[in-house]
Amino acid sequence: MRRTPEAVAVVCQDERVSYGELNARANRLAHHLIALGVKPDQPVAICVERSPAMVVGLLAILKAGGAYVPLDPAYPSPRLNQVLADAAPRLLLCDAAGRAALGPEVLTGVTVVDLETATPGWAELPASNPDPRALGLTSRHLAYVIYTSGSTGTPKGVMVEHASTVNLLHWSSGVFADSEISRTLFSTSISFDLSVYECFVPLSQGSTLYLVEDALALAQTPLDVSLINTVPSAIAALVDRQAVPASTSVINSCGERLKADLIERVFDSSGVEKICNLYAPSETTTYSTWICMPRGEAVVETIGRPIANTRIYLLDAHGQPVPFGAVGELYIGGAG
């Protein structure tokens, strides 16, 4: 941001936001949140439609020292209300879409910061970065709390620290070239942890993120994106519609099983140079294993090997390593 404040950070439809503007907007809102009493480890909910203001809100919560609790206004109201009741945030960043999704009864028990205010009360606050040391913020404090799908029981809030998130970003910067990250599609709901990668990897590397409703938006509006990070079912739909942009060099597949036939279809129908398969539960910070398959090399169905500062163990029912080729339970350790 300091080196190239005029560089484009976010593109959303016809709106383009520079790094300098994005940082200033996030800082002013962060100072407002600090004045409202936000402290390290404090959950702060955000329920807004997909827009640059959403990115500003996420950054502002982090800059203020809080842990963001993402609420997608497209989700069913009972689900959103369940998350709010469990996380019990005192503050909620909201817009009209968020208000409609949550309902007036829910909003009575929380302080609402309206991001759609024409002249926000924080507009005249300093555009300078809040000092993490003055806030008492450390790498061990929470960055976000994302709730699981609840497919195996009641949804649970997964609490992830700054250090774990930074490890993910640092790993990515070491394995992907700047040109590959330079124009990243941000299509995943912020209530799904793939969004952590899509939002913060490009911003941490001075790249541009292209904010859309979902990956299938590329079928209606082709974008000049270099990297797509999404689930195999969405990749398959893009291939079926011949909607993988010609500019895309890397596709990251995650969240579902990636089959060899889909990999081959992508290579046969697009100019993509490599497909990476990434895996992890939310509890270990978005991705813990990966394998990258360049065009022209062998296609394999595997979740690959550990990312940086991560260890993978296959253990039996007694917690002992299983022999090579035997079935075991997957245990993940390390910085995530």
Side-chain angles (χ1 to χ4, degrees), residues 157-175:
V158 174
M159 301 184 292
V160 175
E161 299 171 356
H162 283 267
S164 299
T165 311
V166 168
N167 185 69
L168 175 74
L169 306 186
H170 180 71
W171 163 78
S172 181
S173 69
V175 299

Side-chain angles (χ1 to χ4, degrees), residues 25 56 75 83 100 180 195 202 205 210 217 231 247 286 302:
R25 288 171 61 182
V56 169
Y75 277 35
V83 170
E180 294 171 332
S195 64
Q205 294 186 222
Y210 285 73
V231 295
S247 57
T286 309
T302 172

Side-chain angles (χ1 to χ4, degrees), residues 206-274:
S207 302
T208 303
L209 61 86
Y210 285 73
L211 188 59
V212 297
E213 284 297 326
D214 57 58
L216 296 185
L218 293 175
Q220 284 76 44
T221 309
L223 295 172
D224 180 35
V225 294
S226 59
L227 184 143
I228 297 173
N229 184 83
T230 191
V231 295
S233 53
I235 296 168
L238 290 174
V239 171
D240 290 342
R241 301 178 192 191
Q242 298 181 315
V244 177
S247 57
T248 303
S249 61
V250 180
I251 290 182
N252 284 347
S253 172
C254 29
E256 302 166 358
R257 179 185 173 188
L258 176 63
K259 297 183 179 180
D261 65 329
L262 177 56
I263 299 171
E264 292 163 353
R265 287 176 60 207
V266 171
F267 284 139
D268 290 343
S269 63
S270 72
V272 169
E273 289 300 322
K274 60 186 181 185

Side-chain angles (χ1 to χ4, degrees), residues 9-10 19 22 50-52 54-60 62 68 165 168-169 181 184-190 192-211 227 229 286-287:
V10 181
Y19 270 89
L22 180 69
R50 297 182 71 78
S51 65
M54 180 187 78
V55 180
V56 169
L58 295 175
L59 290 172
L62 293 171
Y68 73 83
T165 311
L168 175 74
L169 306 186
I181 297 292
T184 297
L185 188 72
F186 184 9
S187 61
T188 302
S189 165
I190 60 171
F192 191 21
D193 69 333
L194 304 189
S195 64
V196 175
Y197 185 94
E198 294 172 28
C199 183
F200 299 113
V201 163
L203 292 181
S204 68
Q205 294 186 222
S207 302
T208 303
L209 61 86
Y210 285 73
L211 188 59
L227 184 143
N229 184 83
T286 309
Y287 301 135

Side-chain angles (χ1 to χ4, degrees), residues 25 28-29 32 113-125:
R25 288 171 61 182
R28 290 188 177 102
L29 178 55
H32 180 64
V113 177
D114 189 347
L115 297 189
E116 283 189 320
T117 304
T119 53
W122 56 89
E124 301 303 320
L125 293 179

